[in-house]
Amino acid sequence: MINAFLRRQRATIGMASDGEVSVKAKIVLSSYTPDTSSMVAAICYAWLLENTRKREKSKIKDEVVVPVINMRRARMWEHKQAAWLFHHIGIDASALIFSDELDLEGLLMGKQLSLLIVGQDVLQTNGEVGSLCTILTDNYCEDAYDLLQTSNLRRLLLAGILLDTQNLSSLAKSSTNRDAEAVQLLLVGSSPDYRDFFFKQVMKEHGEEYFLESMRQHYGKLPVEVKQKPSTAPTSGPAAVQPTPALAPAPSKPTEKPSCTKNKFSAMQ
């Protein structure tokens, strides 16, 4: 489901940039210093907004909500943790949109664009919770409970909270009871040790060849590899446009359903 959303929004905003369609674009931008949690929040918040918009007929019909990661695609090599998380969960990396792939200035000049920056315009923690993804989990419970049944969405939100709170560590000043409640909700249907296992996997430095090859396919060559290999690109003229990588299959849906009842979480064994 979330991959279908990402592909659809990428296609629509691409047509809008080319002048093929006329739509208002609401861009949900990850923070100016993007980390894994901020990228996750941008994607999940945009999906929530889009689904809420569809349900409220009073909203603008010709509007598209698009998550954008606030950096160049090639810089994902500096954010391998986020790249591994997307790969592991089954997020279609070719459907993600990075700031260097979108003509934000042109859309702004054409008055076709509004910006929402994660952590600044939306999803402000205000010291009440440790993670943006905790606020998002609450929002999904209230406004889009059905989407919370989606396995990859739940694991994205879970990863964001665990990273921001150091796996709910008591030593982390940012960890709160609300974060712990959100984690317990997202873990419904998981084994008792899944939280620690998942956190260790996300924190691990992944160098598996299949993963690195996936990164090369979706984010380009590692900068060191590019420097070592003689370039065959033309020395003048416009840069060649890279072909879009093949789309990855969408992951299967979960069988267990969480409950959003506050303080009454019960993880299923």
Side-chain angles (χ1 to χ4, degrees):
M1 293 176 65
I2 196 168
N3 279 329
F5 161 73
L6 292 171
R7 293 165 188 156
R8 184 170 59 250
Q9 306 312 85
R10 182 181 176 91
T12 302
I13 197 64
M15 290 188 291
S17 296
D18 294 338
E20 298 177 25
V21 296
S22 178
V23 296
K24 295 284 186 180
K26 181 173 288 185
I27 303 298
V28 180
L29 199 64
S30 65
S31 65
Y32 287 121
T33 53
D35 55 17
T36 302
S37 179
S38 174
M39 296 180 206
V40 166
I43 294 169
C44 295
Y45 187 71
W47 196 25
L48 176 64
L49 280 187
E50 177 68 9
N51 280 272
T52 302
R53 184 189 66 81
K54 287 182 178 180
R55 293 173 182 176
E56 298 179 7
K57 296 181 181 179
S58 61
K59 294 292 183 181
I60 302 173
K61 291 183 179 180
D62 296 328
E63 181 182 69
V64 58
V65 184
V66 183
V68 175
I69 296 176
N70 197 14
M71 64 182 186
R72 293 179 292 106
R73 177 176 285 270
R75 283 195 60 201
M76 279 297 279
W77 282 100
E78 302 171 25
H79 298 269
K80 287 174 65 178
Q81 181 185 79
W84 180 86
L85 177 65
F86 295 152
H87 176 80
H88 174 69
I89 289 177
I91 298 299
D92 180 7
S94 67
L96 297 173
I97 303 176
F98 293 78
S99 56
D100 63 324
E101 301 171 333
L102 194 60
D103 183 13
L104 294 175
E105 183 177 354
L107 291 170
L108 279 170
M109 292 291 290
K111 298 181 179 180
Q112 294 178 272
L113 176 68
S114 62
L115 282 176
L116 296 174
I117 302 174
V118 167
Q120 179 175 318
D121 300 314
V122 294
L123 301 178
Q124 297 174 326
T125 61
N126 297 322
E128 297 176 2
V129 295
S131 177
L132 303 171
C133 293
T134 295
I135 302 174
L136 265 172
T137 301
D138 291 344
N139 290 344
Y140 269 98
C141 277
E142 296 174 2
D143 302 324
Y145 176 72
D146 56 321
L147 296 182
L148 203 56
Q149 316 310 317
T150 310
S151 176
N152 47 17
L153 171 66
R154 288 164 61 184
R155 285 187 289 170
L156 280 173
L157 293 172
L158 177 63
I161 299 172
L162 295 182
L163 287 170
D164 286 338
T165 64
Q166 300 176 40
N167 194 19
L168 301 179
S169 171
S170 59
L171 300 178
K173 296 181 180 180
S174 59
S175 183
T176 69
N177 289 335
R178 280 183 62 188
D179 297 305
E181 290 173 353
V183 165
Q184 195 168 0
L185 166 66
L186 296 169
L187 283 172
V188 168
S190 302
S191 61
D193 59 347
Y194 181 73
R195 188 189 97 194
D196 291 336
F197 170 79
F198 185 52
F199 179 71
K200 290 177 182 178
Q201 286 295 303
V202 174
M203 292 296 293
K204 181 180 177 181
E205 177 66 27
H206 290 276
E208 301 89 346
E209 182 55 36
Y210 69 87
F211 168 59
L212 297 179
E213 182 56 35
S214 176
M215 287 200 66
R216 295 185 191 101
Q217 179 186 6
H218 292 109
Y219 307 115
K221 296 284 188 180
L222 180 66
V224 173
E225 295 175 339
V226 173
K227 291 179 182 179
Q228 291 178 345
K229 184 176 180 179
S231 174
T232 57
T235 57
S236 63
V241 178
Q242 298 298 321
T244 302
L247 300 180
S252 59
K253 298 180 180 179
T255 56
E256 302 291 347
K257 296 183 178 181
S259 168
C260 286
T261 305
K262 294 293 184 180
N263 301 320
K264 294 183 179 180
F265 303 110
S266 56
M268 299 174 65
Q269 304 300 317

